[in-house]
């Protein structure tokens, strides 16, 4: 009999034997920025998460700075939406203004920007629409414009989440041609069409106005296809590849970690956060222990970067 329990005997030896340790730098914290003044508006389905106007961003950025986390991921919510999502690449767009504000006032914080049109389009889809079709190639130049415009504003990294084919190649070329050869791309590579995005769409006002996203996001049944998506994005020049959501897709994350030698990110999405917060609010689970168990599982499965709404709490619990 091998006595495994020898190395579990007390906290000293247990902590010495721990294989996976969370670190503040593992985390990226998503932030929602909205038009207006003096706005800090709670997101009902995501307790603890708010939409901030640019003039109120300082409050959350102070906490980010103090926490020592790796960075933030910015999502803009424009007042004006149109079929082409023009505020996504407008020089004075809400996201561009938020990036400039951060660059000026919090230059030490690493800024990742989500690149997608769904928050900016009147139809709420991630690309250009013709009839009930979401167009692929026609969408790419708009994504490139958005990426270049946010790089100009001062973003440190771009993260395309639209799931159009060929967007990584297009964005890389666009950034390079504009002189942004040093801006990395974190591709949402294996992004599944998931019910777990529900609360985010409330927070970001980005629900599709008709149909769903199944013609561009992946079928949750498809693990092999996820590996092909990741391979394609690496081939196209992605610096970091992502699996999203996290908990129901840890098998995909683990297999990617075993298959590919590139940094992996995982997105612990809004629905996962909402479930934990709701159960904790009811006293049905121990929030701190559940959060740390979930985040540890993501890192154990192979994530180098964890994008999570729990980030600012988790650093206190490490
Ligand atoms: C935009 C985008 C979404 C998320 C990140 N970027 C929503 C979607 O695809 O509908 C989801 C994040 C979350 O649920 O926390 N394409
Ligand atoms: Zn989108």
């Amino acid at each position: 009999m091998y006595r495994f329990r020898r190395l579990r005997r007390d906290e000293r030896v247990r902590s010495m034997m721990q294989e996976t340790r969370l670190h503040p730098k593992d985390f990226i914290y998503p932030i929602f920025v909205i038009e207006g003044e003096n706005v800090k508006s709670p997101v009902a389905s995501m307790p603890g998460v708010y939409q901030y106007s640019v003039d109120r961003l300082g409050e959350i950025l102070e906490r980010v700075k103090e926490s020592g986390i790796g960075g933030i991921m910015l999502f803009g919510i424009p007042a004006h939406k149109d079929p082409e999502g023009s505020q996504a690449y407008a020089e004075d767009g809400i996201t561009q203004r938020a990036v400039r504000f951060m660059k000026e006032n919090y230059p030490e914080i690493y800024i990742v920007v989500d690149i997608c049109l769904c928050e900016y389009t009147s139809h709420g889809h991630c690309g250009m629409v013709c009839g009930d079709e979401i167009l692929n190639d026609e969408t790419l130049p708009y994504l490139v414009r958005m990426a270049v415009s946010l790089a100009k504003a001062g973003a440190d990294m771009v993260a395309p989440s639209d799931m159009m084919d060929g967007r990584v190649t297009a964005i890389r070329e666009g950034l390079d041609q504009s002189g942004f050869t040093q801006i990395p791309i974190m591709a949402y590579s294996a992004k599944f069409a998931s019910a777990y995005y529900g609360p985010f769409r409330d927070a970001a006002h980005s629900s599709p106005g008709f149909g769903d996203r199944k013609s561009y996001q992946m079928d949750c049944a498809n693990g092999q296809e996820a590996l092909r998506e990741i391979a394609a994005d690496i081939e196209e020049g992605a610096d970091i590849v992502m699996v999203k959501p996290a908990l129901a897709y840890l098998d995909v994350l683990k297999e990617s970690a075993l298959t590919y030698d590139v940094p992996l990110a995982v997105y612990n999405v809004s629905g996962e956060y909402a479930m934990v917060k709701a159960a904790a609010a009811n006293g049905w689970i121990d929030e701190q222990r559940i959060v740390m168990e979930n985040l540890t599982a993501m890192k154990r499965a192979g994530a180098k970067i964890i994008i999570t709404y729990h980030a600012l709490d988790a650093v206190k619990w490490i």
Side-chain angles (χ1 to χ4, degrees), residues 46-303:
M46 301 177 72
V49 174
Y50 299 83
Q51 301 161 329
Y52 297 90
S53 52
V54 175
D55 61 330
R56 291 287 296 270
L57 272 179
E59 176 180 331
I60 189 71
L61 295 174
E62 285 296 335
R63 289 182 57 203
V64 166
K65 194 167 127 182
E66 200 178 304
S67 71
I69 62 169
I72 64 109
M73 173 107 116
L74 202 56
F75 294 94
I77 309 159
H80 168 77
K81 304 189 188 224
D82 54 39
E84 290 81 33
S86 60
Q87 286 300 302
Y89 37 87
E91 199 182 326
D92 63 346
I94 178 67
T95 319
Q96 284 77 0
R97 276 184 282 133
V99 169
R100 281 197 295 267
F101 172 85
M102 287 189 59
K103 229 35 229 176
E104 246 165 64
N105 298 284
Y106 296 88
E108 59 278 89
I109 297 180
Y110 195 84
I111 312 171
V112 185
V113 287
D114 185 87
I115 302 296
C116 195
L117 300 172
C118 55
E119 291 116 82
Y120 305 87
T121 51
S122 40
H123 45 70
H125 277 289
C126 304
M128 295 301 122
V129 162
C130 180
D132 56 6
E133 181 106 10
I134 319 305
L135 305 172
N136 191 88
D137 299 18
E138 291 78 355
T139 299
L140 301 181
Y142 294 92
L143 297 169
V144 173
R145 278 177 77 178
M146 182 178 184
V148 170
S149 144
L150 289 165
K152 270 187 191 141
D156 295 299
M157 180 188 284
V158 298
S161 69
D162 51 281
M163 287 299 278
M164 300 299 130
D165 294 320
R167 79 266 168 81
V168 175
T169 301
I171 291 172
R172 185 70 273 157
E173 277 175 16
L175 288 173
D176 289 353
Q177 279 164 15
S178 302
F180 297 110
T181 54
Q182 296 301 316
I183 299 290
I185 299 176
M186 174 162 66
Y188 288 67
S189 303
K191 179 176 180 182
F192 291 87
S194 171
Y196 283 104
Y197 307 152
F200 173 94
R201 292 179 190 171
D202 298 338
H205 303 165
S206 66
S207 290
F210 67 89
D212 54 38
R213 303 212 201 288
K214 288 182 182 166
S215 76
Y216 41 107
Q217 298 180 352
M218 291 187 55
D219 185 333
C220 69
N222 296 0
Q224 280 307 118
E225 188 187 352
L227 296 180
R228 295 210 305 275
E229 278 278 9
I230 290 172
D233 281 355
I234 295 170
E235 178 77 28
E236 289 186 35
D239 300 280
I240 300 171
V241 293
M242 192 197 300
V243 174
K244 176 185 173 196
L247 292 174
Y249 301 87
L250 291 187
D251 58 326
V252 175
L253 184 64
K254 178 72 187 186
E255 220 170 322
S256 307
L258 294 173
T259 311
Y260 304 113
D261 187 24
V262 297
L264 280 172
V266 72
Y267 200 137
N268 176 210
V269 300
S270 57
E272 299 175 305
Y273 176 84
M275 291 196 302
V276 169
K277 295 300 270 190
N282 275 290
W284 296 337
I285 56 165
D286 178 331
E287 178 174 354
Q288 178 173 341
R289 289 190 56 205
I290 292 267
V291 167
M292 297 313 272
E293 187 171 333
N294 285 349
L295 298 174
T296 302
M298 293 168 207
K299 189 162 181 181
R300 191 193 64 228

